[in-house]
Amino acid sequence: NEKQLLKNCYKNSIRLAENLNLESIAFPNISTGVYGFPKKDAAEIAIKTIKEEAKQLKSIRKIIFCIFDDENLNIYQNLL
């Protein structure tokens, strides 16, 4: 399902960054552009997944959500 695929994208990316001992990682609004995934749903998945994964992080100290438009910015601000 699309929601699980998006969740796995975040989960696998952050785990790879952790395995590489990176100190930071940045995520764009994955799938909300040309793929047309609902923006609020995508933001909820991103934030929930990152919060879940953050509990096990040792090297990553900074996680950035790169927001490219006002609509997504408002969504993320309200959810965070």
Side-chain angles (χ1 to χ4, degrees), residues 14-70:
I14 203 160
R15 287 181 180 179
L16 178 60
E18 181 71 11
N19 288 339
L20 293 171
N21 294 315
L22 299 180
E23 295 180 5
S24 65
I25 186 169
F27 292 101
N29 301 111
I30 298 171
S31 291
T32 61
V34 94
Y35 293 106
F37 197 90
K39 293 178 181 184
K40 186 169 187 263
D41 291 348
E44 288 172 347
I45 291 167
I47 292 167
K48 181 180 180 194
T49 305
I50 296 302
K51 283 183 176 181
E52 289 170 358
E53 292 298 311
K55 297 171 188 171
Q56 295 102 3
L57 298 179
K58 293 185 172 97
S59 68
I60 297 175
R61 301 283 177 239
K62 188 178 201 178
I63 300 169
I64 301 165
F65 291 108
C66 298
I67 311 301
F68 297 104
D69 61 49
D70 290 336

